[in-house]
Amino acid sequence: GAGVSQSPSNKVTEKGKDVELRCDPISGHTALYWYRQSLGQGLEFLIYFQGNSAPDKSGLPSDRFSAERTGGSVSTLTIQRTQQEDSAVYLCASSPGWANYEQYFGPGTRLTVT
Amino acid sequence: AQSVAQPEDQVNVAEGNPLTVKCTYSVSGNPYLFWYVQYPNRGLQFLLKYITGDNLVKGSYGFEAEFNKSQTSFHLKKPSALVSDSALYFCAVRDYDGGSQGNLIFGKGTKLSVKP
């Protein structure tokens, strides 16, 4: 079946611009996660959605970062006023639930801020 | 605080030899442990997990991992390495009893290089 998809695959933007990254999780998966992968920081958790519960935003690095999940499916990660340190690969994952379920990752969006 | 350590940045193995990629963890409650593999320019792929039960867990592509509670370790192993196993390997933990909301804590990753 279809896996997690993300778009765009690559995004180059100028410092100060806003960007939106999209994630389509596996159909039926109630949990959705955003992570960031960069050379200096490894894999960092950003935000987590589980069903209709309030999202866990504890990993967002600043208030320039926000995310929403519409209709319990598609999610958008928005970065406002991008900075060069935002350059990274942004990974989305979904799972049937949480706790003991493995997460299925998308291919990522490579963001480059110039 | 929850954490995962992968002490080796890189592991080099000859094809056909056994391989081990090390992982140790620190959690406040019962650990849920995972291994993922990442090929160049690709997302992470799930290999195996330990939740409860047998300490030896078998996963995809012939990999297995041994959970050792006393040593707080979850090393990834394979009896005979293939060149195609060359990739970046991540160990991850979720602390169920610690009230975690479900996100994984990842190690820094270990680059596995298998030479013919």
Side-chain angles (χ1 to χ4, degrees):
Chain A
V4 177
S5 61
Q6 293 185 247
S7 61
S9 55
N10 282 284
K11 176 72 176 179
V12 180
T13 189
E14 292 181 353
K15 177 182 175 181
K17 300 286 188 182
D18 297 353
V19 295
E20 286 189 352
L21 311 180
R22 177 187 169 103
C23 172
D24 285 86
I26 293 172
S27 178
H29 281 192
T30 59
L32 186 147
Y33 311 79
W34 283 98
Y35 294 88
R36 178 169 70 175
Q37 185 175 23
S38 57
L39 281 176
Q41 300 298 321
L43 272 159
E44 303 172 272
F45 163 72
L46 296 177
I47 189 169
Y48 160 61
F49 297 89
Q50 169 58 34
N52 295 321
S53 301
D56 176 1
K57 304 179 183 179
S58 60
L60 295 178
S62 77
D63 58 8
R64 295 187 296 104
F65 288 73
S66 63
E68 61 178 22
R69 187 178 186 192
T70 55
S73 181
V74 172
S75 177
T76 302
L77 177 68
T78 301
I79 308 173
Q80 295 178 312
R81 306 181 302 281
T82 52
Q83 304 294 314
Q84 288 187 332
E85 61 262 29
D86 299 334
S87 296
V89 177
Y90 290 81
L91 294 168
C92 176
S94 71
S95 69
W98 66 291
N100 60 334
Y101 291 102
E102 58 270 26
Q103 297 175 17
Y104 297 86
F105 283 79
T109 294
R110 181 175 298 277
L111 175 66
T112 303
V113 182
T114 62
Chain B
Q2 302 146 226
S3 66
V4 174
Q6 293 181 244
E8 301 153 318
D9 291 334
Q10 181 154 347
V11 171
N12 298 311
V13 178
E15 187 174 32
N17 282 0
L19 69 86
T20 299
V21 183
K22 295 180 180 178
C23 171
T24 58
Y25 66 89
S26 175
V27 299
S28 58
N30 294 316
Y32 288 4
L33 294 155
F34 302 80
W35 274 101
Y36 285 83
V37 59
Q38 186 176 36
Y39 297 99
N41 300 313
R42 302 279 297 276
L44 277 72
Q45 295 180 32
F46 169 75
L47 278 179
L48 52 79
K49 66 181 179 183
Y50 172 82
I51 305 300
T52 186
D54 290 341
N55 291 339
L56 185 63
V57 178
K58 295 188 182 296
S60 306
Y61 312 122
F63 284 93
E64 57 189 30
E66 185 171 11
F67 172 67
N68 188 317
K69 188 172 183 178
S70 63
Q71 297 185 2
T72 61
S73 67
F74 189 57
H75 301 331
L76 181 69
K77 300 181 180 183
K78 187 173 183 181
S80 178
L82 300 173
V83 173
S84 57
D85 292 330
S86 298
L88 190 57
Y89 290 79
F90 290 94
C91 182
V93 67
R94 175 185 291 138
D95 181 1
Y96 176 72
D97 288 340
S100 165
Q101 291 299 309
N103 59 285
L104 295 172
I105 308 297
F106 285 91
K108 292 294 186 183
T110 298
K111 182 179 180 181
L112 174 66
S113 178
V114 182
K115 301 295 186 184

